[in-house]
Amino acid sequence: MTKEYIYPYLEHSFLLQYIAKCKANEIIIGNELMVQLDMLLEHFENNAIRIDFKDAQKRIKFIETQCKHFEAPFAGKPFLLDLFQKAFIEAIYIFKVYDEEIEQWIRLYQDVLYLVARKNGKTPLISAIALAEFFCGEIGTRILCSSNDYEQADLMFQAIDSMREESRTLEKVTRSNIKGIFFGNPKNKKKTGKFSLKNKGHIKKISAKTGAKEGKNIRVGAVDEVHELKDNTSIMPIRQALSTQNDPLYIELTTEGIINDGYLDERLREARKVLNGELERPRWLIWMYTQDSEQEVWQDEKSWAKSNPGLGVIKKRSFLQKMIEEAKTSKTMRVFVLSKDFNIKQNNATAWLSTDIIVNEDEFDIEEFRNAFGIGAVDLSKTGDLASARIMLMRAGDPKKYMIRKYFIPESKLANLPKEDKQKFEQWIREDRIEVSPGNENDFRLVTAWFVKIFQTYGIRIYKIGYDKWSAIYWAKDMEDYGFDLVRVSQDFSLSEPMKLVESDLKSKLINYGNDPIDKWCLENTALNFNSKMDIMPIKVQGQDHKKIDGAVTMIIAYKVYIDNRSEFTQLVGR
């Protein structure tokens, strides 16, 4: 790129200023973003591309003068854009190409991928761009905010609406309700013009779970937390809805994730092919803040800016330092921090626990707990998976949890086990660790019989039994007829707190599971699933359904019941 081409634009181009600082190493970025910036530089000497700053300047001015932050610690303050944010907005808007079909100059980039680590202001930035497009774009502009779930889609929508409410100027000419944001304010009626009821533009929200049914004829689509999408089924209706527009804008914003072969994985594979010159996507702006290696995360604190452009301004360095220190000692935290704070792909093949945490050769005699109180947990499977029943026991003044358990499997499933697992299962059946149900289904009456037997033999009274609602309706009624108190425990992110406590207690050797080999096997097989709030839940490793995790699940369910009823249960234990 020659200076002669840059010089006319340098003085008033945030993009060129940003690139210059990146090239001079004043701003540290990763190689993938540098490749994209080099591509943008080439546009300045491409005669087929017109450089026009008007749209970008209009939107930057709108954001900085009309939009205000709505969350602490910046609530009520003007939305003053950092240089990297202004450069990003310019990259979207300043490059124009002539469209022969409609005989107009339109934006070169109509498809945008924005990948940045969490807490770098990605949702507020894209929300501000969407609001700017609503006001600065053409009349009738319709905008759709989307994400994997309704709550996440609502975060972007609420960010837009809060910025609108913070500005008296914007609020005077708009209105909002549960359906969306619209032009025309009944309290300040305008009969004609862009800001009147005649402007049918709007901003709405949908989630992947609603099927994107409202995504018809929109001009701007923004999809948040793309990493949570398993496929493109919720994306395609939105992209299709943009197809009628002359100058549409589609933005995907996200951090990295842990879903294997999800939608984001495929998009990133394509994006990297584009950056490597292996695939041609001239209308796609790929703006990715990524590390060049995992090693540099641990060895060079300065490199953190590669995935965290807002470090020190938006995101506190002390926060990231704290996350790194926790990640050094916690596998769970390590997976989360690398994916969410440094955009380094993690996957759900990552084991939850390391072997040294799981191994515990302690044993105990159940006779020690005669007439004690316990907490029960079950993970029932009608057919394919192992079924697990568990009782967690405690002593007064002893923080340890002691586990007894029983496993169940249908007879027909034994023949279909992999050879290595079949030998183990046959051994466990001989040792009476697993009870076999005749036929093709688990007989849940055997589960009931096991709890009854524990009470009749040892006098162990079950305080409450946690169970998942699936496949358990008739079993639950049977158990209640015997006088057991059952509590529904959903196998979702509500298991996050108990799962973390199980991990901590295993590390501290505060769980004695009697050195049971099936418990150990299930713990080894368990992988992690995360959401954007850093909640976790247990899952199987993708593609390894024969690796059972039921024993780990019942351990976590027992902890869930314990946490929810800790005070009352410990009083019973202390009697």
Side-chain angles (χ1 to χ4, degrees), residues 147-155 178 205-207 209-210:
S147 190
N148 186 55
D149 59 56
Y150 198 75
E151 183 180 358
Q152 188 62 44
D154 190 53
L155 287 179
I178 59 171
K205 58 189 171 184
I206 61 168
S207 75
K209 293 170 184 175
T210 64

Side-chain angles (χ1 to χ4, degrees), residues 148-191:
N148 186 55
D149 59 56
Y150 198 75
E151 183 180 358
Q152 188 62 44
D154 190 53
L155 287 179
M156 189 188 300
F157 178 84
Q158 291 300 331
I160 295 171
D161 198 30
S162 296
M163 290 180 200
R164 180 193 68 86
E165 290 178 337
E166 286 289 333
S167 169
R168 291 183 62 187
T169 303
L170 305 186
E171 190 181 29
K172 281 173 63 176
V173 296
T174 54
R175 68 191 190 280
S176 71
N177 54 39
I178 59 171
K179 292 183 178 180
I181 300 170
F182 307 88
F183 280 111
N185 189 330
K187 296 179 182 178
N188 297 278
K189 290 185 179 180
K190 287 181 178 290
K191 294 183 179 180

Side-chain angles (χ1 to χ4, degrees), residues 375-442:
I375 288 175
V378 296
D379 183 25
L380 302 178
S381 173
K382 197 75 174 173
T383 54
D385 286 344
L386 202 62
S388 173
R390 180 176 304 275
I391 298 173
M392 185 176 82
L393 302 160
M394 293 183 70
R395 293 193 184 102
D398 182 359
K400 275 192 177 182
K401 286 84 174 174
Y402 298 82
M403 303 286 180
I404 58 175
R405 87 297 298 144
K406 189 78 171 185
Y407 289 93
F408 307 85
I409 193 170
E411 184 178 25
S412 64
K413 297 300 174 182
L414 292 171
N416 298 324
L417 291 171
K419 186 177 180 181
E420 59 176 301
D421 290 343
K422 188 175 182 181
Q423 292 174 346
K424 288 189 289 192
F425 271 68
E426 288 173 346
Q427 175 66 26
W428 293 334
I429 291 168
R430 288 193 295 270
E431 294 171 352
D432 198 31
R433 300 180 188 277
I434 301 176
E435 188 162 356
V436 180
S437 296
N440 297 315
E441 295 183 334
N442 270 315

Side-chain angles (χ1 to χ4, degrees), residues 78-94:
F79 198 133
L80 300 180
L81 296 164
D82 200 70
L83 180 60
F84 79 92
Q85 296 171 319
K86 293 178 180 178
F88 173 64
I89 294 172
E90 268 197 13
I92 296 173
Y93 286 99
I94 69 172

